[in-house]
Amino acid sequence: MFKKRIMNVATLDFTNYSPEALRKIKKIVNCATIFLPQNPSKEFMEAFSEIKLVNIANTIYIPNDKTICKVNGFEVLKNINPKNLYIVNGMAFIVSALSDEPVQMIVNGGVFYKENINIDFVSLNGKATPMNFDYEKAKIYQNKIEINADFIRISEAGTVIICMNKIKISEDVTEEMLIEKKIQFICQNKIFCKENVYGYIAANSQIGNKIITDEKEYQNWNNPLIKKKIR
């Protein structure tokens, strides 16, 4: 019987697998988390034990009444349910929960959550940060955004700019403008700015990668072919 290999995956959910299905797997390599049923049968565990496991970070046993919910990319989570196990692969903002009971969560990336929400981080490969801003004032961009002086002028005080990829601060934006409006930045990747606003950006941003001020990279911020020199 041909047996397959599984390689380089974030999660594997075997909670509904039969022993026969497990016996079709020869090897698992580089997996952050494997999910197994909380009360597996003897036949199930015998079949699972025959699989060669290489570089597996976590094995988690899931109760029968628990539902696995996957979040990929970017998502705002409202009314999270303690009956669910949430797997975040990317970025999530958690703004409300159904009850005060702890909600289990596995994070491969980043989450921001309101401090009054009870979250049990089962596994954290990344960062979990309590929100220190008003989420209702957030402006969210899935890919890239260039912020110019007109954008700052019409923004409310305390605006939070959230971007999954890159933010460029235009040359016409001054530190005084940013201070007056108390702008905050959350960027999963990189922020490109001039030296005159670097201090403000560094002090008022949460960044997944780097702040870049190199002139060539700044001018070519939207060109993926330019080799990056990181500050």
Side-chain angles (χ1 to χ4, degrees):
M1 179 179 67
F2 173 77
K3 290 191 175 187
K4 64 181 179 180
R5 299 184 180 189
I6 301 174
M7 302 179 68
N8 305 322
V9 292
T11 59
L12 285 172
D13 181 5
F14 291 147
T15 54
N16 294 312
Y17 268 51
S18 66
E20 291 73 24
L22 289 175
R23 290 191 180 99
K24 295 179 181 179
I25 303 170
K26 179 179 182 180
K27 189 176 184 179
I28 300 171
V29 181
N30 298 334
C31 176
T33 306
I34 294 176
F35 299 105
L36 301 178
Q38 191 172 61
N39 298 302
S41 67
K42 180 181 178 182
E43 292 76 17
F44 180 98
M45 290 309 297
E46 286 177 349
F48 181 72
S49 67
E50 293 173 4
I51 301 172
K52 185 175 182 180
L53 305 178
V54 179
N55 196 23
I56 310 300
N58 297 294
T59 301
I60 297 176
Y61 293 86
I62 305 298
N64 294 334
D65 61 349
K66 198 74 103 174
T67 301
I68 295 176
C69 297
K70 291 186 178 181
V71 177
N72 297 310
F74 176 87
E75 194 164 336
V76 177
L77 299 179
K78 299 180 179 179
N79 299 322
I80 58 174
N81 192 332
K83 293 183 179 179
N84 298 338
L85 168 67
Y86 293 86
I87 304 171
V88 177
N89 299 309
M91 181 187 286
F93 287 79
I94 305 162
V95 297
S96 61
L98 287 177
S99 73
D100 294 332
E101 295 180 53
V103 178
Q104 290 187 313
M105 189 167 294
I106 293 170
V107 178
N108 300 301
V111 297
F112 294 84
Y113 62 96
K114 289 191 174 180
E115 288 187 278
N116 63 336
I117 299 176
N118 190 355
I119 303 176
D120 174 16
F121 291 105
V122 178
S123 176
L124 183 58
N125 299 309
K127 193 172 184 180
T129 308
M131 290 188 195
N132 60 356
F133 56 86
D134 182 356
Y135 180 77
E136 298 301 323
K137 292 185 177 181
K139 295 184 178 181
I140 302 170
Y141 302 91
Q142 294 285 344
N143 190 13
K144 304 170 185 175
I145 181 69
E146 182 170 356
I147 307 298
N148 60 24
D150 288 337
F151 184 106
I152 300 298
R153 289 190 190 99
I154 64 174
S155 295
E156 283 186 79
T159 292
V160 182
I161 298 167
I162 300 168
C163 186
M164 282 292 291
N165 192 359
K166 298 177 183 178
I167 298 174
K168 178 183 178 182
I169 312 299
S170 295
E171 297 181 47
D172 59 353
V173 174
T174 66
E175 185 178 56
E176 290 74 20
M177 291 178 184
L178 296 171
I179 292 172
E180 180 185 357
K181 290 299 183 77
K182 299 178 181 177
I183 305 294
Q184 295 184 62
F185 299 91
I186 297 173
C187 185
Q188 190 78 343
N189 191 5
K190 299 168 184 168
I191 296 180
F192 296 77
C193 69
K194 291 290 191 174
E195 288 282 356
N196 65 311
V197 296
Y198 174 84
Y200 182 93
I201 300 299
N204 294 277
S205 301
Q206 297 181 56
I207 305 165
N209 195 340
K210 299 286 189 298
I211 300 174
I212 296 176
T213 60
D214 176 81
E215 182 63 24
K216 182 177 179 181
E217 295 175 47
Y218 178 85
Q219 296 300 334
N220 293 282
W221 75 287
N222 210 19
N223 186 350
L225 299 180
I226 298 296
K227 184 177 180 180
K228 303 293 187 291
K229 286 170 58 181
I230 305 301
R231 172 173 179 149

